[in-house]
Amino acid sequence: MTLMQEVHMPPAGRPRAFDMECVLEAAMLLFWEQGYEATSLAQLRAATGLSSASLYGAFGSKEGLFKQAVEHYMKGPGGATGVIEDETVSPREAVAALLHGSIDMQADSSHPVGCLIALSGTMRAPGEEHAGVRAAVAARREADRIRIRACVKRGIAAGELDAGADIDGVTAMIHSFLLGLSTQLRDGVAATTLHTAVDAVLLNWRRS
């Protein structure tokens, strides 16, 4: 049974007769579980209740639907990474909240395991057929990288890290760990083990 059933489209000029949030939620969960390339239009139609005409009319293409599903994800579960910008806590506490909070979100059984951004984008294949999809998820990863880097710089300014600390290296350490959580969780590594791993990573967040 689909999350929603399509209603006949109203005359031109009137609002679409479907719930956009429900459609994006259904598409998000499907892309999250299977990835972009493995998700077919037939599956998207079944999950959203939309016909091909309605899907293309609303989103233009499968890629258009994916990009909006990514935005929907970032407003919901994916928003867990936003804690890295919290300047009311120490930089180290912000990093801890980012990593521990991401584990809790990605391990939540109410949705697919892992992170949609880390798991759903296509790999670089010959041609540019999926260039827009790769660009969409790469942009989200870059946004996280920038926010983590800013937190590392705050850590240096606050005296938590040495003034000569390698900002890009520390940023890469944290961001690589964040992205790797999805693979670990999909492989069945327990969330408790990953929380312990976060504590080990944070041992490196200190002055020499």
Side-chain angles (χ1 to χ4, degrees), residues 49-147:
L50 295 181
S51 66
S52 293
S54 294
L55 192 152
Y56 280 101
F59 304 103
S61 64
K62 175 184 170 183
E63 180 179 311
L65 174 54
F66 175 78
K67 289 179 178 178
Q68 290 200 40
V70 167
E71 293 303 313
H72 180 76
Y73 171 80
M74 293 308 302
K75 293 175 183 176
T81 58
V83 70
I84 194 67
E85 296 179 296
D86 186 357
E87 295 189 25
T88 67
V89 300
S90 73
R92 187 183 190 281
E93 289 174 316
V95 171
L98 166 71
L99 299 179
H100 286 300
S102 293
I103 292 169
D104 290 337
M105 183 281 286
Q106 294 186 42
D108 189 335
S109 61
S110 68
H111 54 60
V113 170
C115 168
L116 181 147
I117 302 302
L119 295 169
S120 64
T122 58
M123 301 299 291
R124 186 175 297 279
E128 292 301 313
E129 181 181 0
H130 301 310
V133 172
R134 292 195 299 272
V137 291
R140 291 310 322 171
R141 291 194 297 267
E142 177 63 13
D144 282 341
R145 192 178 295 111
I146 289 171
R147 294 190 296 180

Side-chain angles (χ1 to χ4, degrees), residues 8-71:
H8 292 298
M9 295 298 289
R14 294 183 60 188
R16 295 189 183 96
F18 61 82
D19 187 322
M20 181 64 78
E21 289 300 302
C22 285
V23 167
L24 291 176
E25 181 75 9
M28 176 194 76
L29 293 173
L30 199 55
F31 284 129
W32 193 348
E33 179 62 40
Q34 300 184 169
Y36 179 81
E37 286 190 279
T39 299
S40 69
L41 285 171
Q43 291 172 322
L44 289 167
R45 290 196 303 268
T48 63
L50 295 181
S51 66
S52 293
S54 294
L55 192 152
Y56 280 101
F59 304 103
S61 64
K62 175 184 170 183
E63 180 179 311
L65 174 54
F66 175 78
K67 289 179 178 178
Q68 290 200 40
V70 167
E71 293 303 313

